[in-house]
């Protein structure tokens, strides 16, 4: 004759409400952490994109000087240098060197919206080939 199941044996077959709530809290915490990580990656990606485009703007100006065999005047100048949908402002600074046949050109690229935020600064030495 089979032994009838007792009430105690039937309760062991499932999870208690407390166990389910603890599991939900753990899953919710894990999902929240993963959302923060994805948000951080997205923000980091935008920063890398801005740095890459700012570098292109600075390299464009330095290449223009080099290929045009320009002998830039000593001093500072500022000009717009947008890339794609990113508004950038370039500042060019030309300095003398101990050798009068060379000049140092520094190009700094700033975010046009936040003018105090310099994204990149590149420099090169330009020879006087004339």
């Amino acid at each position: 004759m089979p032994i009838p199941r007792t009430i105690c044996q039937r309760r062991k077959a499932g999870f208690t409400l407390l166990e389910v709530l603890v599991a939900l809290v753990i899953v919710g915490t894990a999902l929240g952490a993963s959302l923060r990580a994805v948000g951080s990656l997205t923000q980091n990606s935008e920063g890398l994109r801005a740095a890459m485009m700012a570098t292109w703007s600075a390299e464009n100006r330095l290449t223009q000087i080099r290929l045009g065999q320009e002998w830039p005047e000593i001093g500072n100048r500022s000009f717009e240098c947008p890339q794609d949908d990113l508004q950038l402002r370039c500042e060019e600074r030309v300095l003398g060197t101990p050798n009068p046949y060379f000049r140092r050109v520094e190009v700094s690229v700033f975010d046009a919206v936040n003018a105090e935020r310099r994204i990149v600064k590149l420099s090169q030495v330009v020879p006087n080939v004339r």
Side-chain angles (χ1 to χ4, degrees):
M1 175 178 246
I3 302 172
R5 290 182 140 185
T6 64
I7 295 174
C8 189
Q9 288 175 337
R10 273 188 251 149
R11 286 190 185 164
K12 290 183 181 179
F15 296 104
T16 65
L17 180 60
L18 183 61
E19 291 171 332
V20 171
L21 289 176
V22 168
L24 285 175
V25 167
I26 291 171
V27 169
T29 303
L31 286 175
S34 64
L35 283 177
R36 277 189 70 183
V38 168
S40 178
L41 288 174
T42 303
Q43 187 178 10
N44 204 12
S45 172
E46 286 298 316
L48 289 174
R49 179 178 176 270
M52 178 183 66
M53 291 194 175
T55 302
W56 286 350
S57 289
E59 285 179 347
N60 285 346
R61 177 59 187 143
L62 294 175
T63 302
Q64 181 183 18
I65 292 170
R66 189 171 50 251
L67 292 179
Q69 297 179 347
E70 294 181 28
W71 182 243
E73 293 295 321
I74 293 177
N76 299 329
R77 75 182 196 106
S78 181
F79 54 95
E80 298 297 319
C81 53
Q83 289 287 334
D84 194 26
D85 61 342
L86 193 62
Q87 296 302 314
L88 302 171
R89 186 177 48 81
C90 292
E91 288 185 4
E92 180 180 298
R93 185 174 173 207
V94 181
L95 306 163
T97 63
N99 186 334
Y101 296 105
F102 292 95
R103 291 205 172 141
R104 180 177 168 183
V105 179
E106 296 176 346
V107 178
S108 298
V109 182
F110 295 86
D111 186 359
V113 176
N114 184 2
E116 296 177 3
R117 180 178 167 244
R118 180 171 66 195
I119 301 172
V120 71
K121 178 180 179 180
L122 298 179
S123 64
Q124 81 176 11
V125 176
V126 178
N128 186 0
V129 292
R130 296 181 184 182

